[in-house]
């Protein structure tokens, strides 16, 4: 319990530090504090309201506290481009990113874990000799380039999948849920999720493999053999169960990492997610939106690190069940 | 010394296990390590046979070879392991796996690493009972409780994870594991070495008790000659991958024939001698990757002769049921008197 | 049950032999060179690097055209020439630039970015790790807190935001990598220093007359150098991948020929829908080769650093 509180405080500290860094980056690097929040194309009333809301006429240190206060209320200003509150724009894009990330990760882990275990089992054979360099190559390939190939082959050449977006233009749905479960949406999801998964599967695969190799050396696996347990029981019940532990925690870590890393794949497939929003905002100098998207991505990253940490301690009985002695 | 011999003393029961000229080699980067290089000994039914020797002399390798669960780098090059009339080395993998634990169980040196850290101890016993013993869930549970009682553990501890056990409790649990399927032979590889002396005695007592009650045959690996004196009927002294001397514990300890045994006995304090006379044997065991023509103990032996360096002595009967691999086994009585002098073991 | 102890196995003598300082450093350096010779993967990785470095150095001699020159043939723009034609091995772009020449010149920016980022990340990480591990206490705490924050910042978005405020340049990527990626190296180096320090204190107690700090550095150098190398060789690949992503997103310097810029160019010029595989496949393959070479080499180091992986 102390540990949980401790990690939580740690997470809040990191969030605060990143928010502070962002504050100074946006205030100081845009040259003019007004420029960070006020677009000259806004109406005068709008400009006035933002001036007050963010205290842009006050000294910097006061602006800082107003900024932190606004952040705590989820108040991120007005997007220059969309002419809407930043929070609203972000919340439209966020679910798309989450669905893409989770979809890709689930595929990546469902593939990577068993194949990693298999490669460990095939250690020293030609299968390993071919498999390992192949996996390393997918880790080394830029994810957007994988996406470009899939796009060229399956969308443009074969025409099996749409070439971009999350829905066919003009498609209408009763609810967000209906949209996410529609065939149309899933059809659009396949290629971007696949290119992400292709890139992401290397981590669970290699990790699972090296953990398996390590666990197979453990005395308790030797003992399982001495007990005459079947090879299946030894591999699945003992070796894989132990090797899986750290891999599961990287799943949570990967969510955090790929929400930020998705940026490029979202761009290739014009996927209306957070990353593409960030790129667009930066390119069009929409500072409030850029800042908001950045902070949201950070929030996901940091809280997933936190969850991964907790998960590890829940799953490992050596930690979750303290010593009795 | 408590006793040298349990109920079967005097009679000569049939061997349950007979190891004949066993060779087990490791392939390493530096060459071939001849960890077990021609080992022969018998385990009479219902007896406890001690396997003693310095660290690295091949005890574990020999013991594990009996179960045929050995590292990838190791191979059983030649020899025979006759268990209950069958040569285990000729069995198919399947027949061997069927025999494991039901007939031959193992108690490892470090019970901590031998238990799977992510399962409760109880469910690991139950796994053996169900997977290998054909128990149903309920009977397996009852049997697990019974086993824990036998080895002196509270059955509440079945719900614990291995890391929640103390070292001694883990070793007791390892004994319970070994007894689960009522095997006829238990191989115990230094079952108490990692523990302090008091706990060692308690656990050996428990083990000895169970062994006598259940009529088990046991190979007890140890490098502690006082453990041998305390609990073995016969003893096999190994040196550098070979048997130096073997025979009934009483005979081997009271009248050792091989100079190495004499030295080893000096090297350990026991209840009769005071710790002050503790004398280590000078030098180190030979490198097992190198081949050697003469007796492997020659360069540490205070009684070495020219012929020792030329040719290795074979394991030959010295007295009734007592064998030794030494050219000077005929002069054993005289050498023993010299061996008691501290100066014999000190070299210039 | 009475108190029990899990007695640690007694260590034999001679497990830890002392060597002189120079011997240690020499051994470490020797180990670094010797690795690729022993590991076939590392050897392949090294070979790939050698080829790319040679291509980068002799790019003007190897490339048939100026990579940015707009070419004309028969008075017409030489655009979208298919590959494997006499003058253009990999064809031309839609603006009439020679793809093969761009690919050749792309090795230059890849290696410059990769090596400089790797050097800075490894150097900074090693320095911070050394300081934190050596001084401990408050300095350690502060540095490790900063490391936590750096690891809490999403990498690619940060590079994008930074690129938005600074002029587009490859050095932004190097800067962003230096700012965010040092903690990995620092943490590993720090824990290495801590273990070495333990040993050094034991040594210092034995060898009277030599200062602890001298002994620490005697022990540290040979233990840390391969680690820095390992993290450096991983960072090379990261930097090249990052450059590609940033350029692809349009925040790179479009006056520099790089593989990332080539990919962006092809993407924006409908190379995908036209099926101009000869345009966008080669840059990706080159990236994979360089990054994989880094993996292979670092794998070699991992095997000496963490020999447990080898059986
Ligand atoms: N997996 C292995 N690979 C290579 N050589 C090994 C391996 N295991 C043991 N050896 C070598 O085989 C020889 C015998 O080792 P073994 O473990 O059988 O000795 P031991 O008598 O059980 O020693 P200890 O009392 O230390 O347990 C030693 O020289 C050892 O170095
Ligand atoms: Mg042993």
């Amino acid at each position: 319990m102390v540990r949980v509180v401790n990690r939580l405080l740690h997470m809040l500290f990191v969030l605060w530090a990143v928010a502070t860094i962002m504050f100074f980056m946006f205030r100081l690097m845009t040259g003019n504090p007004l420029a960070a929040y006020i677009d000259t194309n806004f109406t005068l009333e709008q400009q006035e309201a933002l001036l007050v809301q963010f205290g842009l006429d006050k000294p910097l240190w006061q602006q800082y506290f107003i900024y932190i206060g606004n952040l705590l209320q989820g108040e991120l200003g007005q997007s220059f481009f969309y002419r809407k509150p930043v929070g609203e724009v972000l919340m439209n894009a966020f679910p798309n990113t989450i669905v893409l990330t989770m979809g890709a990760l689930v595929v990546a882990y469902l593939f990577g874990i068993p194949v990693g275990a298999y490669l460990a089992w095939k250690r020293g054979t030609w299968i390993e000799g071919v498999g390992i360099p192949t996996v390393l190559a997918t880790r080394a390939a830029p994810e957007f380039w994988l996406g470009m190939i899939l796009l060229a082959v399956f969308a443009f050449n074969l025409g099996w999948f749409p070439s971009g977006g999350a829905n066919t233009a003009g498609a209408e749905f009763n609810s967000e849920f209906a949209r996410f479960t529609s065939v149309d949406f899933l059809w659009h999801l396949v290629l971007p999720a696949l290119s992400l998964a292709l890139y992401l599967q290397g981590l669970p695969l290699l990790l699972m493999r090296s953990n398996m190799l390590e666990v197979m050396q453990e005395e308790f696996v030797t003992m399982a053999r001495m007990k005459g347990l079947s090879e299946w029981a030894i591999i699945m019940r003992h070796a894989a169960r132990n090797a899986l532990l750290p891999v599961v925690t990287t799943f949570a870590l990967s969510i955090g990492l790929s929400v930020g890393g998705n940026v490029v794949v979202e761009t290739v497939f014009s996927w209306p997610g957070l990353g593409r929003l960030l790129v667009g905002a930066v390119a069009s100098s929409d500072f409030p939106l850029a800042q908001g998207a950045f902070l949201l991505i950070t929030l996901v990253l940091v809280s997933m690190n936190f969850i991964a940490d907790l998960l590890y301690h829940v799953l490992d009985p050596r930690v979750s069940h303290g010593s009795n002695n | 010394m408590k006793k040298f011999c349990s109920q079967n003393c005097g009679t000569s029961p049939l061997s349950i296990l007979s190891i004949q000229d066993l060779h087990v080699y490791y392939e390493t980067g530096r060459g071939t390590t001849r960890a077990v290089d021609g080992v022969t000994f018998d385990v009479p039914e219902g007896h406890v046979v001690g396997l003693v020797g310095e660290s690295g002399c091949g005890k574990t390798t020999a013991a594990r070879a009996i179960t045929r669960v050995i590292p990838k780098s190791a191979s059983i090059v030649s020899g025979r392991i006759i268990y209950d009339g069958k040569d285990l080395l000729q069995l198919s993998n399947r027949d061997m796996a069927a025999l494991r634990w039901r007939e031959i169980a193992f108690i490892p040196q470090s019970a901590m690493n031998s238990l799977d850290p992510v399962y409760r101890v109880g469910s690991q016993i139950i796994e053996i009972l169900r997977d290998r013993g054909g128990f149903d869930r309920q009977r397996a549970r009852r049997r697990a409780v019974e086993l824990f009682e036998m080895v002196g553990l509270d059955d509440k501890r079945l719900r614990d994870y291995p890391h929640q056990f103390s070292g001694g409790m883990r070793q007791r649990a390892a004994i319970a594991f070994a007894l689960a399927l009522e095997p006829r032979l238990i191989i115990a590889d230094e079952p108490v070495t990692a523990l302090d002396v008091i706990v060692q005695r308690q656990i050996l007592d428990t083990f000895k008790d169970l062994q006598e009650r259940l009529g088990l045959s046991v190979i007890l690996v140890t490098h502690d000659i006082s453990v041998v004196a305390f609990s073995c009927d016969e003893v096999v002294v190994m040196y550098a991958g070979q048997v130096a001397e073997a025979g009934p514990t009483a005979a081997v300890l009271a009248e050792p024939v091989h100079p190495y045994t004499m030295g080893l006995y000096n090297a350990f304090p026991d209840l009769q001698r005071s710790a002050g006379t503790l004398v280590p044997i000078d030098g180190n065991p030979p490198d097992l990757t190198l081949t050697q023509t003469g007796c492997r103990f020659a360069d540490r032996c205070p009684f070495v002769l020219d012929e020792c360096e030329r040719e290795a002595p074979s394991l030959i009967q010295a007295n009734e049921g007592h064998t030794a691999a030494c050219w000077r086994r005929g002069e054993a009585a005289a050498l023993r008197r010299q061996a008691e002098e501290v100066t014999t073991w000190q070299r210039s | 049950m009475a108190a029990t102890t899990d007695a640690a196995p007694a260590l034999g003598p001679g497990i830890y032999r002392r060597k002189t300082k120079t011997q240690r450093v020499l051994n470490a350096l020797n180990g670094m060179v010797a690795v690729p010779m022993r590991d076939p993967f590392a050897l392949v990785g090294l070979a790939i690097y050698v080829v790319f470095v040679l291509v980068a150095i002799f790019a003007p001699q190897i490339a048939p055209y100026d990579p940015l020159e707009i070419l004309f043939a028969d008075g017409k723009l030489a655009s979208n020439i298919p590959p494997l034609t006499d003058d253009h091995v990999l064809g031309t772009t839609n603006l009439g630039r020679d793809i093969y020449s761009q690919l050749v010149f792309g090795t230059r920016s890849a290696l410059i970015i990769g090596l400089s980022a790797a050097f800075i990340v490894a150097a900074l990480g090693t320095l911070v790790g050394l300081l934190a591990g050596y001084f401990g206490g408050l300095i350690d705490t502060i540095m490790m807190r900063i490391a936590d924050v750096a690891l809490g910042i999403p990498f690619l978005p940060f590079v994008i935001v930074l690129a938005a405020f600074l002029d587009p340049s490859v050095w932004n990527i190097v800067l962003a990598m230096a700012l965010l990626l040092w903690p990995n190296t620092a943490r590993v180096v720090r824990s290495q220093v801590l273990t070495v320090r333990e040993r050094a204190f034991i040594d210092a107690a034995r060898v009277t007359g030599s200062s602890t700090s001298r002994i620490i550095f005697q022990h540290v150098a040979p233990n840390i150098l391969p680690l820095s190398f390992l993290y450096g060789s991983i960072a090379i690949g990261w930097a090249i991948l990052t450059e590609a992503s940033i350029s692809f997103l349009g925040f790179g310097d479009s006056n520099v020929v790089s593989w990332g810029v080539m990919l962006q160019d092809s993407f924006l010029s409908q190379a995908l829908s036209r099926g101009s595989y000869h345009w966008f496949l080669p840059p990706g393959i080159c990236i994979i080769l360089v990054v994989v070479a880094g993996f292979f080499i670092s794998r070699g180091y991992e095997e000496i650093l963490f020999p447990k992986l080898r059986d």
Side-chain angles (χ1 to χ4, degrees):
Chain A
M1 206 51 220
V2 175
R3 216 199 132 71
V4 176
V5 173
N6 226 324
R7 300 303 303 175
L8 197 66
L9 287 177
H10 180 251
M11 172 178 123
L12 292 176
F13 164 75
V14 172
L15 280 177
W16 163 78
V18 176
T20 304
I21 293 170
M22 282 299 109
F23 173 82
F24 286 106
M25 261 178 88
F26 277 86
R27 295 304 155 95
L28 302 179
M29 288 181 146
T30 47
N32 167 1
L34 294 175
Y37 279 100
I38 296 180
D39 188 11
T40 43
N41 292 330
F42 285 156
T43 62
L44 280 178
E45 296 93 84
Q46 266 180 325
Q47 294 196 20
E48 194 58 37
L50 286 168
L51 202 68
V52 174
Q53 188 175 20
F54 287 91
L56 299 180
D57 49 351
K58 305 229 168 67
L60 196 64
W61 65 270
Q62 281 189 12
Q63 287 186 35
Y64 175 71
F65 285 105
I66 294 171
Y67 160 84
I68 295 286
N70 280 331
L71 265 191
L72 290 177
Q73 296 165 34
E75 187 53 69
L76 295 159
Q78 290 277 327
S79 161
F80 297 173
F81 181 78
Y82 292 93
R83 306 272 153 163
K84 279 197 275 189
V86 166
E88 202 183 309
V89 180
L90 291 179
M91 278 312 128
N92 280 333
F94 190 55
N96 289 330
T97 288
I98 288 297
V99 171
L100 174 62
T101 306
M102 295 300 287
L105 276 174
V106 168
V107 172
Y109 275 71
L110 284 182
F111 174 82
I113 289 171
V115 174
Y118 179 77
L119 282 182
W121 188 47
K122 288 286 174 191
R123 174 162 184 106
T125 65
W126 66 270
I127 297 180
E128 184 191 40
V130 175
I132 296 294
T134 311
V135 177
L136 288 180
T138 62
R139 293 280 296 158
E143 41 192 326
F144 65 87
W145 180 73
L146 295 174
M148 283 166 71
I149 296 175
L150 291 183
L151 202 54
V153 174
F154 294 105
F156 291 116
N157 197 340
L158 298 172
W160 293 353
F161 295 99
S163 64
N167 286 103
T168 310
E172 294 211 4
F173 301 96
N174 299 329
S175 66
E176 275 293 277
F177 182 75
R179 187 169 77 80
F180 285 136
T181 48
S182 69
V183 173
D184 182 55
F185 179 83
L186 295 177
W187 213 233
H188 281 78
L189 180 64
V190 171
L191 287 184
L194 201 62
S195 24
L196 257 185
L198 211 55
Y199 175 75
L200 292 170
Q201 48 75 36
L203 178 69
L205 194 156
L206 293 172
L207 198 61
M208 186 67 190
R209 174 179 166 273
S210 72
N211 288 345
M212 278 297 272
L213 288 176
E214 211 167 289
V215 173
M216 296 295 275
Q217 306 278 331
E218 296 270 356
E219 182 73 6
F220 66 79
V221 172
T222 310
M223 282 307 290
R225 292 231 153 78
M226 292 227 178
K227 289 173 190 166
L229 297 178
S230 67
E231 198 66 11
W232 178 257
I234 295 170
I235 303 248
M236 299 309 283
R237 221 182 278 151
H238 296 284
R241 171 70 177 72
N242 275 273
L244 207 54
L245 208 70
V247 182
V248 171
T249 58
T250 63
F251 187 87
L253 284 180
S254 297
I255 297 176
L257 287 174
S258 54
V259 164
N262 278 358
V263 176
V264 272
V265 166
E266 291 188 359
T267 303
V268 173
F269 292 96
S270 319
W271 188 260
L274 267 188
R276 193 157 159 268
L277 212 56
L278 176 73
V279 172
V282 169
S284 61
S285 300
D286 187 345
F287 295 120
L289 186 58
Q291 191 185 28
F294 187 89
L295 287 173
L296 184 56
I297 292 171
T298 307
L299 179 67
V300 175
L301 175 67
V302 176
S303 45
M304 284 303 147
N305 289 355
F306 170 69
I307 288 176
D309 193 69
L310 287 191
L311 209 56
Y312 185 79
H313 290 95
V314 172
L315 292 179
D316 190 342
R318 275 160 294 191
V319 189
S320 58
H321 291 73
S323 176
N324 281 355
N325 296 296
Chain B
M1 236 156 283
K2 198 172 149 194
K3 54 192 161 185
F4 279 148
C5 131
S6 63
Q7 75 273 31
N8 293 311
C9 231
T11 64
S12 64
L14 289 173
S15 295
I16 183 169
L17 184 80
S18 172
I19 296 179
Q20 294 161 12
D21 199 26
L22 183 68
H23 293 258
V24 186
Y25 298 168
Y26 291 100
E27 278 316 321
T28 65
R30 298 192 307 122
T32 305
T33 307
R34 295 171 169 79
V36 173
D37 205 11
V39 164
T40 299
F41 68 90
D42 277 17
V43 180
E45 174 111 51
H47 278 211
V48 181
V49 173
L51 197 56
V52 275
E54 279 170 293
S55 185
C57 72
K59 305 181 297 288
T60 298
T61 308
R64 295 203 168 199
I66 298 168
T67 67
R68 283 177 40 189
V69 177
I70 50 174
K72 276 216 178 70
S73 57
S75 56
I76 300 175
V77 181
S78 64
R80 300 207 292 168
I81 301 176
I82 313 290
Y83 172 84
D84 205 16
K86 315 178 275 272
D87 186 350
L88 296 185
L89 299 181
Q90 304 300 326
L91 291 186
S92 67
N93 284 340
R94 214 153 144 240
D95 290 345
M96 188 67 215
L99 201 123
R100 284 186 193 128
W101 222 261
R102 297 181 64 100
E103 296 277 330
I104 303 175
F106 197 90
I107 301 175
Q109 173 165 359
S110 160
M112 180 63 207
N113 306 330
S114 70
L115 293 168
D116 189 331
V118 303
Y119 294 106
R120 294 174 201 278
V121 177
S123 66
Q124 296 187 54
I125 294 200
I126 289 172
E127 177 188 34
I128 300 175
L129 292 166
R130 297 192 64 194
D131 271 36
R132 302 283 294 116
F135 284 63
D136 62 34
R137 188 181 296 274
Q138 270 204 332
R139 274 182 53 229
R141 255 201 219 116
R142 257 182 279 135
R143 173 77 176 147
V145 171
E146 186 183 306
L147 285 165
F148 256 42
E149 273 165 8
M150 279 164 80
V151 298
L153 284 172
D154 187 341
D155 60 29
K156 284 197 203 81
R157 292 296 203 156
L158 285 166
R159 295 193 50 73
D160 278 1
Y161 285 95
H163 73 271
Q164 295 170 301
F165 275 32
S166 72
M169 291 164 65
R170 269 179 226 133
Q171 235 35 75
R172 280 176 191 273
I175 296 172
F177 273 67
L179 295 175
L181 302 180
E182 303 181 322
R184 291 172 64 199
L185 174 66
I186 291 184
I187 302 166
D189 187 1
E190 314 214 21
V192 292
T193 304
L195 306 172
D196 68 46
V197 180
I198 298 168
V199 182
Q200 278 194 7
R201 277 298 145 102
Q202 290 171 346
I203 292 180
L204 282 178
D205 267 338
T206 309
F207 185 52
K208 186 82 182 127
D209 238 37
L210 289 164
Q211 182 266 329
E212 280 169 17
R213 226 169 68 208
L214 304 170
L216 293 167
S217 313
V218 173
I219 296 177
L220 182 65
V221 176
T222 174
H223 58 237
D224 186 343
I225 213 146
S226 65
V227 169
V228 175
F230 181 70
S231 45
C232 298
D233 306 309
E234 341 267 317
V235 57
V236 175
V237 180
M238 275 185 76
Y239 183 76
Q242 296 178 332
V243 176
E245 178 165 9
T249 308
V252 173
L253 292 193
E255 296 179 333
V257 173
H258 198 288
Y260 176 64
T261 317
M262 299 176 196
L264 197 65
Y265 200 32
N266 280 337
F268 280 94
D270 63 60
L271 302 178
Q272 287 166 344
R273 292 164 193 247
S274 71
T277 58
L278 189 71
V279 187
I281 308 176
D282 252 353
N284 290 310
D287 185 346
L288 296 176
T289 47
L290 306 175
T291 42
Q292 200 175 337
T293 41
C295 172
R296 297 191 174 192
F297 189 57
D299 56 351
R300 294 171 81 186
C301 183
F303 312 124
V304 62
L305 303 175
D306 283 349
E307 55 189 309
C308 300
E309 316 250 355
R310 268 200 309 275
E311 199 184 334
S314 45
L315 196 63
I316 290 178
Q317 178 135 338
N319 299 307
E320 174 69 33
H322 183 167
T323 54
C326 179
W327 289 122
R328 304 183 71 177
R329 64 185 160 272
E331 316 160 46
L335 298 185
R336 272 199 297 278
R337 271 191 301 281
Q338 284 185 47
E340 280 176 19
E341 303 300 321
V342 172
T343 46
T344 306
W345 298 94
Q346 287 166 344
R347 272 194 260 165
S348 46
Chain C
M1 179 150 296
T4 57
T5 50
D6 291 83
L11 294 178
I15 278 187
Y16 178 58
R17 286 201 196 86
R18 297 174 46 72
K19 291 180 195 150
T20 66
K21 181 178 175 179
T22 34
Q23 245 180 330
R24 280 160 183 278
V25 176
L26 279 181
N27 277 355
L29 289 172
N30 188 23
M32 270 184 241
V33 182
V35 171
M37 301 304 141
R38 255 183 281 132
D39 184 47
F41 278 99
L43 203 61
V44 170
L46 211 61
I48 295 176
Y49 269 144
V50 169
V51 170
F52 275 102
V53 167
L54 288 178
V55 170
I57 293 173
F58 298 107
Q61 284 75 34
I62 295 171
Y65 301 96
D66 178 336
L68 290 176
E69 188 188 344
I70 293 172
L71 303 169
F72 291 88
D74 308 327
K76 262 187 18 230
L77 186 68
S79 66
N80 294 322
I81 293 178
L84 301 176
T85 47
D86 290 344
D87 295 337
H88 307 280
V89 187
L90 292 174
T92 59
T93 72
N94 66 333
L95 282 182
R97 289 172 173 148
D98 182 58
I99 294 173
Y100 176 65
S101 302
Q102 294 197 338
L103 202 62
V104 168
F105 272 90
T107 50
R108 287 193 160 184
S109 46
L111 288 181
I112 289 173
I113 293 170
L115 293 177
S116 50
F119 178 77
I120 294 178
V121 168
L124 195 62
T126 306
L127 186 70
V128 173
L130 276 176
L131 293 177
Y134 181 73
F135 289 109
L138 190 63
I139 295 183
D140 184 26
T141 312
I142 292 175
M143 289 193 167
M144 288 304 110
R145 282 295 149 274
I146 297 177
D148 288 339
V149 173
L151 290 175
I153 296 178
F155 180 62
L156 211 49
F158 181 76
V159 186
I160 293 169
V161 171
L162 204 67
F165 291 127
L166 307 172
D167 293 329
S169 144
V170 293
W171 299 112
N172 293 337
I173 294 159
V174 175
L175 175 68
M177 290 196 59
L179 286 175
L180 293 194
L181 294 188
W182 58 269
N184 295 316
T185 320
R187 282 184 172 177
V188 179
V189 169
R190 171 178 170 272
S191 69
Q192 185 72 27
V193 174
L194 289 179
T195 25
V196 169
R197 220 164 73 135
E198 290 289 303
R199 273 190 272 152
F201 279 125
I202 297 167
D203 258 25
R206 248 191 354 228
V207 191
T208 45
S210 54
S211 74
T212 318
S213 59
R214 235 195 69 208
I215 292 180
I216 288 179
F217 279 98
Q218 242 178 51
H219 286 272
V220 160
N223 285 294
I224 298 304
L225 278 175
L227 270 180
S228 314
F229 247 69
L230 169 66
Y231 277 81
S233 60
I234 294 173
I236 294 178
W238 262 103
I240 293 172
L241 279 173
T242 307
E243 186 277 336
S245 297
I246 293 298
S247 300
F248 178 76
L249 293 173
F251 301 113
D253 183 350
S254 50
N255 295 318
V256 175
V257 183
S258 79
W259 296 329
V261 171
M262 287 174 74
L263 288 172
Q264 185 213 15
D265 196 10
S266 69
F267 184 70
L268 294 181
S269 313
Q270 270 71 49
L272 302 192
S273 54
R274 282 211 216 102
S276 307
Y277 293 94
H278 60 96
W279 191 354
F280 64 84
L281 283 186
I285 291 169
C286 285
I287 293 173
I288 291 180
L289 282 175
V290 180
V291 178
V292 162
F295 286 168
F296 281 0
I297 292 176
S298 61
R299 200 190 91 112
Y301 285 115
E302 245 164 58
E303 298 213 332
I304 26 168
L305 289 168
F306 313 106
K308 164 171 79 173
L309 293 174
R310 221 184 339 187
D311 185 30

